[in-house]
Amino acid sequence: MTTVLILGSGPNVLDARAWPRAPFDNILAINNAFAVRPDWDSLIHPEDFDPDRLPRHLEPAQSIVTADDYVPAQNAYGGFVYAGGTMAFTAGYWALCHHRPSCLAFMGCDMTYAPRGETHFYGTGEADPLRDDITLQSLEAKSARLEIIAARQGCAVVNLSQADSRLIFPRRTPFDLQDVSPRGFVENSVDDALHREDALGYMATSGRYWEELERFDAAALADLDALWLAAAGSSRDT
C-alpha cells in the first residue's frame, strides 16, 4: 500500500506537524505548504508562483514539480477544464499519475475561507479556488471526479481534515489509513460523465485553458458537474 499525503495551505494544516511520518510513503506539499514540516518529498506549484517563496535548499531526496511535470499528467486524466484549475486537484492528479498510490490523503485543502482574519496557515492569502473560473463552478463536483477517477485506478481518496470542507472525500485520521479502500460509485453515471467529456472535447493541451475560454460553455460544464455528483451517489463526506 502506497499512501501520499497532500498538504495545502489551510490554517489547520499545522496539525500535520505533529503527525508521525510512518503512515505516509510520500509527502507532497502545495505552494507554501513545504514550510509545514521539513520531511516533504515533493513541492508542486503553479507557473506564477513567486520564485522567491521557494525553499532555498533541497535535500537530495526532495524535488520540485512544475508545469512541465504536471501538465502532461493532468492531460492523461482529461485535462484541466474537467479536473478543475486549482492546485489541490492538480496535485491529486499528478500524484495519481506519478506514484500510482493506493491512497491519497489530503490535509489543509478544504477550500473554505474565513471572512476575516487569517485564511491560510501563514496568514492572509488569496482564496484561489473561489475565484471566478469556469472550471471551478462546483468544487464538490471536481472533488467527486477526482475521487472516482482515483477509485477506477484502485486508489482511495480521503480528507484528514475535521473542518468544514468543499471536498466530498470521506474523513479519516492519519491513524486509520491501513485498511482504507475506494468507495463505490454509480458506474452508469460515470460512463455518462466520461462520454459527455469526450463529446465536448474541452482539452487544452498546454494547460493554459484561460487562453481558450471562448471554446468552453459554462452551462455545459455545469451539466457535467451534475453528472459527476450523480456518479458519487450518496457517499459524500462520511
Side-chain angles (χ1 to χ4, degrees), residues 204-218:
T205 55
S206 69
R208 297 179 177 181
Y209 61 90
W210 56 89
E211 297 177 349
E212 307 178 40
L213 289 178
E214 69 280 356
R215 293 180 48 217
F216 313 132
D217 181 79

Side-chain angles (χ1 to χ4, degrees), residues 90-147:
T90 297
Y93 285 105
W94 178 81
L96 273 182
C97 183
H98 184 76
H99 292 292
R100 313 297 293 187
S102 49
C103 179
L104 290 178
F106 284 80
M107 182 59 180
C109 299
D110 292 313
M111 306 187 199
T112 58
Y113 300 89
R116 62 183 65 85
E118 295 187 352
T119 57
H120 296 66
F121 78 91
Y122 53 82
T124 301
E126 294 183 8
D128 177 80
L130 302 188
R131 71 187 190 280
D132 184 14
D133 187 301
I134 198 170
T135 76
L136 300 172
Q137 297 180 81
S138 172
L139 297 173
E140 292 79 6
K142 299 309 185 191
S143 68
R145 184 185 190 274
L146 174 58
E147 183 181 358

Side-chain angles (χ1 to χ4, degrees), residues 7-177:
L7 297 176
S9 294
N12 65 350
V13 75
L14 295 178
D15 293 347
R17 283 181 168 169
W19 293 348
R21 172 69 194 222
F24 311 111
D25 299 284
N26 189 277
I27 297 178
L28 173 60
I30 301 171
N31 298 339
N32 300 284
F34 73 88
V36 172
R37 49 188 296 163
D39 60 344
W40 55 272
D41 297 284
S42 300
L43 163 61
I44 189 170
H45 66 82
E47 290 181 287
D48 61 356
F49 191 72
D50 185 349
D52 289 339
R53 294 161 67 184
L54 290 170
R56 298 187 181 279
H57 171 76
L58 298 182
E59 297 298 331
Q62 292 178 326
S63 63
I64 305 295
V65 180
T66 69
D68 289 341
D69 307 299
Y70 63 70
V71 170
Q74 185 69 86
N75 288 343
Y77 291 97
F80 288 85
V81 176
Y82 299 144
T86 196
M87 287 307 297
F89 299 134
T90 297
Y93 285 105
W94 178 81
L96 273 182
C97 183
H98 184 76
H99 292 292
R100 313 297 293 187
S102 49
C103 179
L104 290 178
F106 284 80
M107 182 59 180
C109 299
D110 292 313
M111 306 187 199
T112 58
Y113 300 89
R116 62 183 65 85
E118 295 187 352
T119 57
H120 296 66
F121 78 91
Y122 53 82
T124 301
E126 294 183 8
D128 177 80
L130 302 188
R131 71 187 190 280
D132 184 14
D133 187 301
I134 198 170
T135 76
L136 300 172
Q137 297 180 81
S138 172
L139 297 173
E140 292 79 6
K142 299 309 185 191
S143 68
R145 184 185 190 274
L146 174 58
E147 183 181 358
I148 292 168
I149 295 294
R152 289 163 65 94
Q153 191 174 296
C155 176
V157 185
V158 301
N159 189 0
L160 301 183
S161 165
Q162 302 305 311
D164 290 342
S165 183
R166 303 291 297 276
L167 303 177
I168 71 164
F169 311 146
R171 308 287 186 140
R172 293 292 185 272
T173 75
F175 310 104
D176 62 359
L177 297 176

